[in-house]
Amino acid sequence: MAKWLSPLDAMFLYMETPDSMMHVGGLIEIEVTKGTAGEMSRQIRDELQEMSSAQPPWNRKLATPRFLKNPAHRWVEDTEFDAMYHLRRAALPTPGGERELGVLVSRLHSRPLDFRRPPWECYIIEGHESGNLIIYTKVHHSLVDGYTAVKMLMRSFSNTPDGPDEPFFFQIPPEPRRNKPVSDSSDESAPADQGSFVSAVAGHWMSARDIGKGLGRLARSRFRKHDPIITVLQAPRSILNGRIGRNRRFATQQYDFARLRAIADAANCTLNDVVLAVCGGGLRSYLQSIDALPAKSLVAFVPVNIRPKDDDGGGNMVGGMLASLGTDADNAEDRLRAVVSSTSAAKRQMENMTRAAIIAYTTYVGSPLMIQTGLAKMGLGRVIPPSFNVVISNVPGPTQPLYFRGNRLTSVYPVSFLMHGGPLNITCESYGETLNFGFVGCRDTLPRLQRLALACGESLDELEKAYVTP
Amino acid sequence: MAKWLSPLDAMFLYMETPDSMMHVGGLIEIEVTKGTAGEMSRQIRDELQEMSSAQPPWNRKLATPRFLKNPAHRWVEDTEFDAMYHLRRAALPTPGGERELGVLVSRLHSRPLDFRRPPWECYIIEGHESGNLIIYTKVHHSLVDGYTAVKMLMRSFSNTPDGPDEPFFFQIPPEPRRNKPVSDSSDESAPADQGSFVSAVAGHWMSARDIGKGLGRLARSRFRKHDPIITVLQAPRSILNGRIGRNRRFATQQYDFARLRAIADAANCTLNDVVLAVCGGGLRSYLQSIDALPAKSLVAFVPVNIRPKDDDGGGNMVGGMLASLGTDADNAEDRLRAVVSSTSAAKRQMENMTRAAIIAYTTYVGSPLMIQTGLAKMGLGRVIPPSFNVVISNVPGPTQPLYFRGNRLTSVYPVSFLMHGGPLNITCESYGETLNFGFVGCRDTLPRLQRLALACGESLDELEKAYVTP
C-alpha cells in the first residue's frame, strides 16, 4: 500500500518550517437559499461523523512523519482515519463581516498541518453576515497541489441547482489514472501557480548538471540592448523581501471578468497584463500608506505555462517571467504601459529560448527564495538580493457555476503559501465570470493587508476610468 | 530591561515540543445580563485595538526565541506589542453547546504559542447557547505559572456587580514585589499544581547531588510492612502512560462544594479524598467503556504543599503523594475506602520524612515523565514503567463571586498541560461555592473525553447515594 513520494513532492516537506508552511488553501463561499448556513453545517457533520475511512489521496499519511527531511518519503494509508479531526466546524464572531472572515482564515492558515495524519483539514464556517456558508480547505502541497485540490474539491459540487447530492470530496474515489497519479506535482495539467514554480526551481536545483550549460545559452540569448526586459538585478530591495514569521494575514477581492476584459481590449494587451497593473496600482498605494514604496518599480515573478522552442510537443512546462508592476508611475496608463512593455519583452525572450535556457532562467530567478529558506533553516538572516518582489499567479478555476445541494457557489479564492524572502503572495483564480483574488501576507511584515485588497479595487477603477469610460 | 529566567522557568522552554506544549490555560464563563455576549466582545475589541503596550509580565518576549534550549534565557520587552494578536475574538458554531465549546478550546489549546511574541493569547468567545461570554486564556508556564496567571486575570474583575470597570488584565501594573517576582515559579504562594510539581522534579534533577543521600533516608523510612502506602511499582501499565500527540481534547464539570463536603463529612475523610474517588469512579466507567481498564487500580499523583519535618518554617514546598483511585472496586464505598487508606498512609509517611527524603521521593516518582520527555525528544518511544497513571491537581481559585462590568462570573476552569507518559490531566479549581474540573486529554489516546467528564458526575451521584442519601 505504500506509495513513494516524487522528489518534488518530498521537497515541500523539506521546505516546511514553523514559519514557512507549505500548505495551500482554498476558500469557497456558498449562497445558502435552502435552510441556513448553521443547518447545512450541522447536517454535514451528522452525515460524516461516523465515517472511518477516506478515498485516496485524502487517506494518506507519511510513513515517517517525525523525519520531514527523509529523502525517501512514503505515503501509507491511515487506518484510523478520524473524519471529525479533518472536518471541522467553526463560526465567525459578530458582525460576521469580511474582517472577521479574514481574521479567522488567517489564523487557520497560520497553523501547520499534523503530519501524523493525512495532512489536510476542511473547515465549515457559519456566522457570515450574508448568511453564506464558507468552506476553507487546507492541504499540504506534498499531498496534492493547489490546482488539483481545487479540481477534486469541485467534484463535490453539482453543475445544476437540481443535481443529486454529491458525496463529499474525500469520499469520491480518484479518477482513473492517465499517465500520472493526481498528487504528482509534475501532473501534465498542472497550471503555473506558485507551487509548480517552486517545484520547478527545486527540481532543477536537484538536477543542476544542465544548469551551467543552460546559463551559457541564456547569457547568449539575453544581451540585446534597449530591451525593456526585466533582469534579475532590477528588483529594488523592499519590505517584500524579508524573512517571514509564522503568522499570516489574508484578504480577498472578486472582480467581474468583463471589467478586466474591457480594459485589456481597449489597451490592446492581455488579461494577465491587466491583472498585473491592478496589483501594481494597489501595491503602490498600499506601500505609500505604510511609507515603504521603493523608488524603483517593484518586480513580480509570474509563473507561466510554457512550451519551449525545442520541446517536441505535448505537456506543459512551468517557467516564469519577470514583469515590472509600474509602481514608480503615478497614473494607471503609465503603469499598464510599463507592465505590457516588460511582459511583451519577456515573452519575446522566451520564444527564443531553448528548454535548457528556460530551465536555467527559472532556476536562476527562483534561487534567492531557495537560498533564503536554506539560510533560515540554519538560523541565519537575509543576505540575498531579491530577483523579484512578489509572486503573482493566475490559476484557472471552474468555468461553470457550481451548486452544493441546490445552493450556488459564489466565489472560490486561492490561499497560497509564503516563503522566506517573499512575505506577500497574490494568487487569483477564475470562477465562471469572475476573477477571485487571494492576498496572503506575513503578519509581522505587512500591516492591514485588507487595505492592499481595497487599494487593488481602486486601482481597477482607475484603469477603467483611463481606458473604458474616459 | 532584560530579565533572566530562573532555571526552573527556562526548563519549561526546554521541555516544549510540538507534542508537549508547556502552556496552561483558564476558561472563564460570564453570565451576560447587560447587553449580549457579542456586544461585550466587540466592545472589548474596540477598547483595546489601538493599544500598543502591555504591563509586565504580559509584554515580555524571549530574547532568543529560536533557541529554546538556551540555558540562559532572558525576557526582553516587546516594543511592537500587537494587542490584536494576543486578544482574539472567536465564536462557537450552532447550537453553541458544551460540545462545540469543548472542541474549540481543544483546538486552541493544541496550538503552540509564538515565542517571538509575549507567549500568551486571550480568546473572547461568543455564540454559547446560554448567552454567556467565554474567555479562554493561555500562557506559557515559563512566563507565568497557572496559579499566578489566574490571580492576575482575576484582578480584571470586580468584587461587586456595581464596581467600576476594571482595566483588562494585561493593562494592570504588577503588584509591588515581595520577595520574588510574580513570574517566578518558586513564588512562595505557588500552590501544588502540575506545573509546580514538574518544576520541583526538574529542579531536583538539576541539583541531583542530594538525591542519593535522600533516597537512602527514603528507603529506611519506607519499608514498613502491611502499610497501604502506594509504591512506585504499583501503578499498572495503561493507555494513560503512552506517548502523546499534538492534539488535545477538553471537557469540564462544575460541582457544588456542598455536595462534596457532605460526602467528606459522612465518610470522615478530606474533600480531596472525595475528589479522588469521584475521578476514580469516572475513570473506571470511562475506561471500561473503551475496554481499557487495568485489573489493578489506577494510581494518581497528587501534588501537595508540604512543610517537611526538618523545615525551619515559612514557605511552602511542593511535593506529592501517590494515591490509589480504587478503580478495581466496583462500588463507590470501596473506592473511597481505597483512596482514604492510601492517602492517609501517604500523609503519615510524609510526616516522618525529612526535607531531603521528600525531595528524593518527589524526584523519584516524577522521573518517568522526565525520562519519557527526554526519550521523545530523541525520537524514541516508551520504555519506562509508570510510577503513576494520572496527575490530579486541586488548586485554589477565587473565593468570592466576581463580576465583569456588572456581569457575574459563573465558573473558572483550569486547562493544564500534558507530558509524554501522561495523556490525561485532571485539574480542579475552586471558585466561590463550586469546584470546577478541567479534563485535558491527548486526542490520539483518549476518545470521547466528554464521556469521562459525565462519568465523573455519575461517580459523584453514586458517592452521594452511598453516604449522604442512603
Side-chain angles (χ1 to χ4, degrees), chain A residues 42 94 117 243 444, chain B residues 42 66 94 117 243 444:
Chain A
R42 294 197 299 280
T94 53
R117 302 170 185 267
R243 189 168 166 155
D444 291 332
Chain B
R42 295 196 298 280
R66 290 170 198 278
T94 53
R117 303 169 185 269
R243 187 168 168 156
D444 291 332

Side-chain angles (χ1 to χ4, degrees), chain A residues 19 42 49 66 82 89 94 99 107 110 112 114 116-117 126 243 246-247 443-444, chain B residues 19 42 49 66 82 88-89 94 99 107 111-112 114 116-117 126 243 246-247 443-444:
Chain A
D19 295 326
R42 294 197 299 280
Q49 70 179 338
R66 289 171 197 279
D82 176 354
R89 298 179 65 224
T94 53
R99 171 177 171 173
R107 277 188 216 148
S110 299
D114 186 353
R116 264 167 283 173
R117 302 170 185 267
E126 60 192 276
R243 189 168 166 155
R246 74 171 197 176
N247 299 291
R443 183 181 175 112
D444 291 332
Chain B
D19 295 326
R42 295 196 298 280
Q49 69 180 337
R66 290 170 198 278
D82 177 353
R88 298 166 165 223
R89 298 179 66 225
T94 53
R99 173 178 172 172
R107 275 188 217 149
R111 142 138 247 213
D114 186 354
R116 264 167 281 173
R117 303 169 185 269
E126 60 192 277
R243 187 168 168 156
R246 74 172 197 175
N247 298 292
R443 181 181 177 113
D444 291 332

Side-chain angles (χ1 to χ4, degrees), chain B residues 79-92:
Chain B
T79 53
E80 294 172 338
F81 183 79
D82 177 353
M84 287 298 107
Y85 180 83
H86 297 281
L87 196 97
R88 298 166 165 223
R89 298 179 66 225
L92 300 180

Side-chain angles (χ1 to χ4, degrees), chain A residues 263-271 273-274 336 340:
Chain A
I263 297 167
D265 288 349
N268 193 26
C269 66
T270 68
L271 196 114
D273 290 333
V274 179
L336 183 54
V340 172

Side-chain angles (χ1 to χ4, degrees), chain A residues 443-459:
Chain A
R443 183 181 175 112
D444 291 332
T445 312
L446 300 173
R448 299 167 201 269
L449 194 67
Q450 183 67 28
R451 283 197 191 165
L452 171 60
L454 297 176
C456 285
E458 289 157 15
S459 166

